[in-house]
DNA sequence: TCATATACCGAAAAATTATTCGGTACTTGA
DNA sequence: TCAAGTACCGAATAATTTTTCGGTATATGA
């Protein structure tokens, strides 16, 4: 595991279970990236999400493999090559991702105004 | 604001905008609690979510007020009384909460097995 | 030879979020 | 008078997550 948790995930709450799989900073974006089912190399994912530190994507992709949301294929070549592909389990989260995407687009302006003067202190 | 962020929320990504409103540990549960539209006092919310530290609920409720997901009514009485009620904006997130609730219930067993030996180290 | 690209990892630092503790102020009921 | 309940808040601490930095190893092209 990437991060050792001292407090276990609360499995009694279905809401928190679902959240725990997608709440990390880039996981929802990764799922959105892989949604078409086309396998992508880590370097491609990095380029699609340039604001994310490559190390975080590594870590979050590995967690998503552990959670069964994506699968990883390693090709024994040099220079090294590997690919990540979304699984059926990962695909089953896409409707949720879509609703969040839709909601975010619809309510954009409200928060654009609200947080326009964010980092001035 | 409760926690001062040094890195601003990425408003360019609708997904991350939506996530930022609900990803805190108890916000989705609070929305689920208030979904019926019945105003609830902080102490009632605390009792409904006994695993949450009261202080966190205070902070997250305040953030949700700032984000316009709930409204707070303070009654100028003694002992003090106040109530939180979900807004239309908050209600518009309920379909997303519902899908996550549904997904979590449907995929429970997989993760129950996977994380059964979590806190043994 | 040297820079760049590939994929990955460990360790430390920084940032964020959650928790605990103690305090304010006033009321009711034992 | 004292305990408990109400609603808060500040500050310190703990836990978690993200970021940065440097390193491994090999291949290609300038």
């Amino acid at each position: 595991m990437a991060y050792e948790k001292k407090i276990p995930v609360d499995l009694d709450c279905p809401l928190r279970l679902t959240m725990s799989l997608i709440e990390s900073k880039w996981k929802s974006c990764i799922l959105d990236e892989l949604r078409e089912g086309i396998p992508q190399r880590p370097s491609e994912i990095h380029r699609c999400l340039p604001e994310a530190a490559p190390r975080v994507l590594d870590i979050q992709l590995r967690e998503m493999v552990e959670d069964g949301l994506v699968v990883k294929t390693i090709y024994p070549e040099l220079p090294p090559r590997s690919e990540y592909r979304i699984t059926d389990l990962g695909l089953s989260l896409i409707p949720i991702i879509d609703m969040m995407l839709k909601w975010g687009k619809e309510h954009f302006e409200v928060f654009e105004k609200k947080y326009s003067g964010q980092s001035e202190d």
Side-chain angles (χ1 to χ4, degrees), chain A:
Chain A
M1 263 179 239
Y3 304 125
E4 286 298 333
K5 301 199 194 221
K6 298 196 179 171
I7 299 164
V9 174
D10 183 8
L11 291 168
D12 296 335
C13 178
L15 209 42
R16 296 267 310 286
L17 170 63
T18 309
M19 281 301 293
S20 72
L21 299 176
I22 55 175
E23 72 187 347
S24 294
K25 193 164 181 180
W26 300 100
K27 284 183 182 175
S28 56
C29 299
I30 292 172
L31 282 177
D32 193 37
E33 264 304 307
L34 299 177
R35 66 187 302 156
E36 300 302 338
I38 301 163
Q40 292 202 41
R41 300 177 65 173
S43 53
E44 292 172 317
I45 298 173
H46 292 156
R47 270 190 293 271
C48 292
L49 301 166
E51 290 174 284
R55 188 75 178 103
V56 199
L57 293 183
D58 291 349
I59 292 168
Q60 298 194 355
L61 278 165
R62 187 165 66 236
E63 288 175 349
M64 291 168 81
V65 169
E66 282 167 11
D67 289 337
L69 303 182
V70 300
V71 280
K72 180 181 183 177
T73 309
I74 300 173
Y75 299 92
E77 301 173 3
L78 278 171
R81 186 162 72 95
S82 66
E83 281 179 348
Y84 292 92
R85 188 168 45 78
I86 196 167
T87 61
D88 287 344
L89 190 66
L91 275 173
S92 70
L93 285 167
I94 293 297
I96 296 173
I97 301 292
D98 273 335
M99 289 198 80
M100 292 201 291
L101 218 37
K102 186 163 172 281
W103 195 97
K105 283 174 188 163
E106 284 173 1
H107 301 272
F108 215 71
E109 311 88 52
V110 186
F111 295 94
E112 196 169 31
K113 287 171 194 159
K114 193 168 283 183
Y115 296 129
S116 52
Q118 208 172 41
S119 57
E120 12 173 324
D121 54 46

